[in-house]
Amino acid sequence: MSKKTSRAKAKDKAWVAFSRFIRTRDCIRFSGYPDRGQCVTCKANKLFTELQAGHFIGGRGNAVLFDERIVYSQCYYCNAKPPRGLGGNYVEYFVFMEQEWGREKIDEFRALKATTKIYKEFHFVELEQEFKDKTKKLLDNIPL
């Protein structure tokens, strides 16, 4: 069993911070509260812990992995790969994204998959801090 490199560990930490930001952002957007939200594809109301950060563009390559414009809250069932789930529920995701961004922007997003983005370890460290800060700002701005 191989140990993770420090770069891989930094990427994992950046992903955790990014996922938390996406789910917090969408919970607040759809419910007004940070602990309850909605799956953008099936519209089910879910607890924060029952949501995942689901990518509109499949493959999770570096060019799309941390792009908050194309990642939204999805329930486990919609986001999970078959046979456990709907593999992203892309038909419904497309409908959501078309309403959210429009077709021209969707075409731009789809083109991202063919691009290459290289991250060094320090990029992941910066991303982790950026998304922690964004999450804190969201939580600090919730009206009491």
Side-chain angles (χ1 to χ4, degrees), residues 1-2 10-11 16-17 24 32 37-38 41 55 65 76 78 84-85 88 93 108 113 123 132 136 141:
M1 183 166 138
S2 64
K11 183 177 183 178
V16 168
T24 300
Q38 172 182 299
T41 48
H55 287 80
L65 187 60
Y76 173 83
C78 284
R84 293 196 164 107
Y93 213 149
E108 282 181 40
K113 189 171 181 171
H123 292 118
K132 282 182 174 182
K136 183 180 181 323
N141 289 318

Side-chain angles (χ1 to χ4, degrees), residues 37-46 51 73-75 78 89:
Q38 172 182 299
C39 173
V40 298
T41 48
C42 73
K43 310 300 184 221
N45 291 315
K46 297 286 184 178
L51 293 168
S73 58
Q74 285 189 294
C75 68
C78 284
N89 199 357

Side-chain angles (χ1 to χ4, degrees), residues 68-80:
E68 62 193 82
R69 301 171 303 165
I70 56 176
V71 181
Y72 288 86
S73 58
Q74 285 189 294
C75 68
Y76 173 83
Y77 184 67
C78 284
N79 194 38

Side-chain angles (χ1 to χ4, degrees), residues 119-135:
Y119 287 109
K120 304 275 187 199
E121 183 178 344
F122 76 90
H123 292 118
F124 293 127
V125 172
E126 290 172 352
L127 283 168
E128 177 189 10
Q129 190 58 53
E130 174 187 343
F131 288 110
K132 282 182 174 182
D133 292 346
K134 285 183 170 192
T135 301

Side-chain angles (χ1 to χ4, degrees), residues 9-70:
K9 289 177 186 176
K11 183 177 183 178
D12 289 347
K13 288 180 180 181
W15 173 255
V16 168
F18 178 73
S19 175
R20 183 166 184 253
F21 166 73
I22 294 297
R23 292 176 293 137
T24 300
R25 176 198 70 187
D26 291 354
C27 283
I28 293 168
R29 174 184 174 183
F30 295 117
S31 76
Y33 300 97
D35 58 347
R36 179 164 283 285
Q38 172 182 299
C39 173
V40 298
T41 48
C42 73
K43 310 300 184 221
N45 291 315
K46 297 286 184 178
L47 293 173
F48 174 88
T49 56
E50 297 173 318
L51 293 168
Q52 298 181 340
H55 287 80
F56 175 61
I57 307 298
R60 290 183 47 140
N62 279 346
V64 299
L65 187 60
F66 295 104
D67 191 330
E68 62 193 82
R69 301 171 303 165
I70 56 176

